[in-house]
Amino acid sequence: MRSTASTIVIRRARVEEAERISECLESAFEPFRSHYPPDAFRDTVPNPESIRERMIGMTVYAALSNAGEIVGTIASSAKGEEGHLRGMAVRPAWQGHGIAELLLHTAEKDLRAAGCKRVTLDTTAPLQRAIQFYRRNGFAPSGRIGDFFGMPLYEYEKPLN
């Protein structure tokens, strides 16, 4: 029987887990690969070395099943009163079990503790299910649209009360 969110542990990822974090991101984003330019996909699904570099400037979280499998991840950074999220992923077989909520709430709690008053994240149009999830969890479009290797990158924001 598969674990549910109640048996998932969320904690800071360890440097030696970079390969498993990269694999988790790849499994979650693989269905969208054809919608991304190659450089955009490589940035979205960083290799283990890039994950280790990310861990220097961001807090990377891992969601672990009771068997120790990394089934989800998210990264956050705090700069003054603004937090930023990136790299949210849940392995496809584990989607719909509340893991994304656990990851998001953990990152938001830590950003609040760091003094952040708002949090932002960026996403792309192909990720409609993720966009719906973010909206359900209080995020709204900021109106800022960037360029992500030739595709639009939409910023979403949320106050952290």
Side-chain angles (χ1 to χ4, degrees), residues 64-123:
L64 290 97
S65 70
N66 58 2
E69 177 187 11
I70 294 178
V71 298
T73 187
I74 193 172
S76 70
S77 62
K79 291 185 180 148
E81 292 188 348
E82 184 170 313
H84 186 71
L85 302 174
R86 75 172 302 183
M88 168 83 130
V90 175
R91 288 184 181 273
W94 290 85
Q95 292 173 8
H97 293 273
I99 296 165
E101 288 88 351
L102 289 173
L103 285 161
L104 181 63
H105 295 278
T106 299
E108 289 177 347
K109 181 180 134 221
D110 288 353
L111 289 171
R112 270 189 220 90
C116 295
K117 305 290 185 214
R118 69 188 279 270
V119 62
T120 62
L121 60 86
D122 300 312
T123 192

Side-chain angles (χ1 to χ4, degrees), residues 2-158:
R2 183 177 348 167
S3 300
T4 62
S6 63
T7 59
I8 296 294
V9 173
I10 310 290
R11 64 161 171 73
R12 286 182 87 140
R14 300 178 181 135
V15 172
E16 62 270 18
E17 294 170 327
E19 186 170 337
R20 293 170 50 204
I21 295 287
S22 181
E23 290 168 358
C24 178
L25 285 158
E26 185 168 14
S27 73
F29 285 96
E30 182 61 35
F32 305 97
R33 182 188 291 264
S34 65
H35 299 281
Y36 281 75
D39 288 341
F41 193 80
R42 278 190 293 278
D43 189 73
T44 302
V45 181
N47 63 32
E49 181 56 35
S50 295
I51 296 288
R52 286 188 281 277
E53 290 170 11
R54 183 176 288 179
M55 289 175 164
I56 295 168
M58 300 187 85
T59 301
V60 177
Y61 299 89
L64 290 97
S65 70
N66 58 2
E69 177 187 11
I70 294 178
V71 298
T73 187
I74 193 172
S76 70
S77 62
K79 291 185 180 148
E81 292 188 348
E82 184 170 313
H84 186 71
L85 302 174
R86 75 172 302 183
M88 168 83 130
V90 175
R91 288 184 181 273
W94 290 85
Q95 292 173 8
H97 293 273
I99 296 165
E101 288 88 351
L102 289 173
L103 285 161
L104 181 63
H105 295 278
T106 299
E108 289 177 347
K109 181 180 134 221
D110 288 353
L111 289 171
R112 270 189 220 90
C116 295
K117 305 290 185 214
R118 69 188 279 270
V119 62
T120 62
L121 60 86
D122 300 312
T123 192
T124 59
L127 303 178
Q128 286 302 305
R129 185 172 177 202
I131 290 169
Q132 291 171 4
F133 168 79
Y134 294 132
R135 286 180 179 266
R136 278 194 316 273
N137 283 278
F139 285 85
S142 71
R144 288 183 280 285
I145 302 171
D147 177 74
F148 187 55
F149 302 96
M151 66 188 305
L153 187 66
Y154 301 95
E155 183 185 71
Y156 281 71
E157 62 185 355
K158 174 182 177 178

